[in-house]
Amino acid sequence: MNFTELYKTLLKYKYTVFCFDDLLKFFPSEKKNNLKVYIHRWKEKGMLTSLKRGLYELIYPKDSGIPDMYIANVLYSPSYVSLETALSNYSIIPEVSMAVTSITTKATRKFKNKHGLFIYHTVNPRAFNGYYIEKHGSFDIFIAEPEKALVDYFYFNKPFKKNNLKDERMDTRAVMKLSRKKITRYAAQYKMDLRGLYADT
């Protein structure tokens, strides 16, 4: 197998991010040791890059422009983008977070690669909900609804207080437009009371 075969196959099946088992599936006649040698060689030549142990990204002949939030989904699964990253995506907070923040049912983890820092917070499976698929170009991204992202944020950062919205530089008007019913339901999963969000409305 040569790199051209790999490139055409990965593009055909839209696997610009792939693992070793994917190669075994696509090239069943190749020996495992040979595939490992190929991967090492192509990494050395700058055609592939490691996102984490056993997970690779195709970067030659051009960068595929994969969104960081998609990388977050595939880097550690199951997970969905939430907290600061999702709130920034919805323009509820003004700045883009230095890391991509996600929720998972697996152990809390951090990863760093060419795309940046990825942080994963653990929740009980009963609270692993409130997300959907958002299209970013040709990529499907699992991301929290704005209400769930807000609840996740307060759960993992600080207890909600009346002045938190201003302290966290949140767009108060954007928060007030969110579904109270959803916020109450998601907060109940964490045994939180966020009714104070609407105390003055």
Side-chain angles (χ1 to χ4, degrees):
M1 180 180 69
N2 56 44
F3 185 78
T4 299
E5 290 178 273
L6 173 74
Y7 178 77
K8 289 182 176 179
T9 301
L10 293 178
L11 286 192
K12 177 182 178 181
Y13 294 104
K14 298 181 180 180
Y15 270 68
T16 45
V17 174
F18 62 95
C19 65
F20 189 74
D21 285 343
D22 294 327
L23 295 189
L24 293 176
K25 177 178 63 178
F26 294 142
F27 304 99
S29 62
E30 290 285 350
K31 294 181 179 179
K32 288 185 179 181
N33 286 341
N34 288 343
L35 287 175
K36 291 178 181 178
V37 170
Y38 295 149
I39 289 174
H40 178 76
R41 181 185 304 161
W42 293 330
K43 282 174 56 182
E44 290 292 310
K45 292 183 176 181
M47 297 170 166
L48 306 176
T49 188
S50 289
L51 297 177
K52 69 173 184 178
R53 183 180 178 86
L55 186 68
Y56 310 95
E57 179 185 353
L58 185 66
I59 58 174
Y60 181 86
K62 63 179 181 179
D63 192 294
S64 52
I66 302 175
D68 289 349
M69 290 195 292
Y70 177 80
I71 295 293
N73 285 174
V74 299
L75 200 58
Y76 202 48
S77 180
S79 67
Y80 63 86
V81 174
S82 188
L83 298 109
E84 295 91 343
T85 305
L87 292 173
S88 177
N89 181 70
Y90 298 125
S91 299
I92 293 175
I93 59 175
E95 69 280 348
V96 177
S97 174
M98 295 297 291
V100 180
T101 47
S102 299
I103 296 296
T104 183
T105 55
K106 297 169 72 174
T108 296
R109 289 290 302 274
K110 291 183 180 180
F111 297 94
K112 192 170 185 179
N113 54 45
K114 72 185 267 305
H115 290 273
L117 179 63
F118 298 83
I119 299 174
Y120 298 83
H121 297 276
T122 305
V123 298
N124 189 291
R126 69 171 180 271
F128 190 79
N129 51 42
Y131 60 92
Y132 69 106
I133 295 177
E134 183 175 277
K135 277 281 188 183
H136 284 241
S138 60
F139 297 94
D140 292 338
I141 294 171
F142 292 98
I143 185 170
E145 295 179 321
E147 293 86 357
K148 186 64 186 312
L150 185 71
V151 173
D152 286 342
Y153 176 84
F154 280 118
Y155 179 71
F156 283 102
N157 284 275
K158 60 181 68 176
F160 173 75
K161 295 180 181 178
K162 188 175 180 179
N163 293 325
N164 275 168
L165 296 183
K166 291 182 179 180
D167 292 344
E168 300 302 319
R169 295 198 295 161
M170 292 187 180
D171 186 330
T172 303
R173 287 179 296 180
V175 172
M176 292 303 106
K177 292 179 181 178
L178 301 181
S179 168
R180 299 187 188 192
K181 184 176 180 180
K182 286 185 178 181
I183 289 175
T184 300
R185 184 172 76 248
Y186 293 140
Q189 295 173 350
Y190 293 131
K191 298 182 180 180
M192 296 169 61
D193 184 355
L194 296 183
R195 288 175 296 180
L197 279 170
Y198 303 97
D200 297 326
T201 60

